[in-house]
Amino acid sequence: PRLLAQFFFADERVTRVVAEINGLDAELDPQQYLVLLNQLHLSQAHLLAVLERIMEECIPTQRHSRDYLVKFPEELLVDNLGNHMLFAAECLLAGTFLEVEEADGAQLRPQARNLLCSLELVRKVLREQSLSQPGSYPEAVQAVLIQFDRLFAEFELSYVSSLVVVKSPEEIYRQQEIIVLFCETVERALLLGYLTQEMIDGYEPLLMFTIPRLAIISGLLIYPEGPLSLERSPEQMSRVFSPFYNLLKKIRDLLRVLSAEELCLLERSLCTAE
């Protein structure tokens, strides 16, 4: 059950698979090479998962900040992102630029080299520690883990930034504004009886349509200075709404001519319409 013991066996598996790959002629047996390559990815993913748990146990308050993850597109935030980063670093060090431009790859190579060297040092130190005192983490072990954690985070941010346009602080703030708008919309809908707490607690599927509809009305009429403010230019709005700038203006103009009773009737109908 000890994490260092788990790390030892996970590391042994990675070492064994790498040795098999190095001893295989890929051109003579391409099928076996692909099998071993898949085994390597799986074993490395397991090794990183155990290492992550060790860092959470050993250096929980000294972890490098991962706040930058909010800048990444949601499709990149997957469980195997760390393993993908490790594979990318290995490719860059080998001079292979699978996803990035050659110029970007050349700039990333020093970071990739430092990361992989740090990982090798972590593996060496933790192997030795697992064989001597598998239940403790001396300061020297902690220092190695802190360095690896920092280098991994720095490479992850740099590599992803070379692949995609990461969100700017302004776009992140706009998304937070949308979250606030949705929260205030739900609070208002509960107060007016459009929704019930039971619907929210029960994850009523209709809410996926109801809340955004009500949020558009709230954003245009109730909170006109929020993320749906049409006093801004389309470029100043969140990318969620900016493509619909002209349509939102038409909706706002129509809403403004409604009486309070008509607005209430409209909102109630939006809570039931499919």
Side-chain angles (χ1 to χ4, degrees), residues 75-92:
E75 60 269 20
L76 289 182
L77 300 178
V78 293
D79 292 338
N80 63 344
L81 179 61
N83 198 40
H84 184 80
M85 290 299 102
L86 182 59
F87 178 67
E90 291 170 341
C91 289
L92 287 171

Side-chain angles (χ1 to χ4, degrees), residues 181-214:
L181 172 63
F182 272 56
C183 291
E184 292 177 335
T185 296
V186 171
E187 184 178 1
R188 176 174 173 270
L190 288 171
L191 184 64
L192 296 176
Y194 297 155
L195 306 176
T196 66
Q197 190 63 48
E198 289 73 19
M199 295 172 65
I200 296 174
D201 294 339
Y203 301 101
E204 173 64 43
L206 185 61
L207 296 179
M208 295 178 62
F209 303 97
T210 298
I211 294 176
R213 291 167 176 171
L214 294 177

Side-chain angles (χ1 to χ4, degrees), residues 86-241:
L86 182 59
F87 178 67
E90 291 170 341
C91 289
L92 287 171
L93 197 59
T96 304
F97 310 110
L98 295 179
E99 300 175 311
V100 299
E101 297 293 333
E102 186 172 348
D104 292 331
Q107 291 184 342
L108 288 167
R109 282 189 73 183
Q111 281 185 287
R113 181 182 298 106
N114 291 339
L115 172 61
L116 294 176
C117 288
S118 179
L119 177 59
E120 284 303 307
L121 180 59
V122 165
R123 292 176 62 185
K124 176 178 180 294
V125 168
L126 290 184
R127 278 198 305 266
E128 293 174 351
Q129 188 65 23
S130 67
L131 293 172
S132 58
Q133 293 178 302
S136 63
Y137 301 100
E139 288 188 9
V141 172
Q142 295 180 34
V144 169
L145 291 172
I146 291 172
Q147 181 188 46
F148 170 74
D149 189 47
R150 176 181 60 80
L151 291 173
F152 198 104
E154 290 174 351
F155 176 78
E156 185 174 56
L157 176 57
S158 298
Y159 187 81
V160 173
S161 297
S162 70
L163 290 180
V164 298
V165 178
V166 297
K167 299 172 187 174
S168 66
E170 291 77 18
E171 178 63 21
I172 294 172
Y173 178 75
R174 292 170 193 151
Q175 289 188 341
Q176 291 173 337
E177 282 189 313
I178 296 173
I179 294 171
V180 172
L181 172 63
F182 272 56
C183 291
E184 292 177 335
T185 296
V186 171
E187 184 178 1
R188 176 174 173 270
L190 288 171
L191 184 64
L192 296 176
Y194 297 155
L195 306 176
T196 66
Q197 190 63 48
E198 289 73 19
M199 295 172 65
I200 296 174
D201 294 339
Y203 301 101
E204 173 64 43
L206 185 61
L207 296 179
M208 295 178 62
F209 303 97
T210 298
I211 294 176
R213 291 167 176 171
L214 294 177
I216 290 175
I217 294 179
S218 295
L220 293 174
L221 291 184
I222 313 301
Y223 310 107
E225 297 180 357
L228 283 180
S229 173
L230 298 179
E231 300 304 317
R232 306 174 180 177
S233 66
E235 293 75 21
Q236 293 174 313
M237 297 178 70
S238 170
R239 286 179 288 180
V240 174
F241 295 117

Side-chain angles (χ1 to χ4, degrees), residues 2 18 29 56 62 65 70 72 85 95 134 150 180 189 215 253 271:
R2 293 178 179 177
V18 169
D29 197 348
E56 281 299 309
Q62 298 165 287
S65 173
V70 301
F72 292 0
M85 290 299 102
R150 176 181 60 80
V180 172
D253 293 342
C271 295

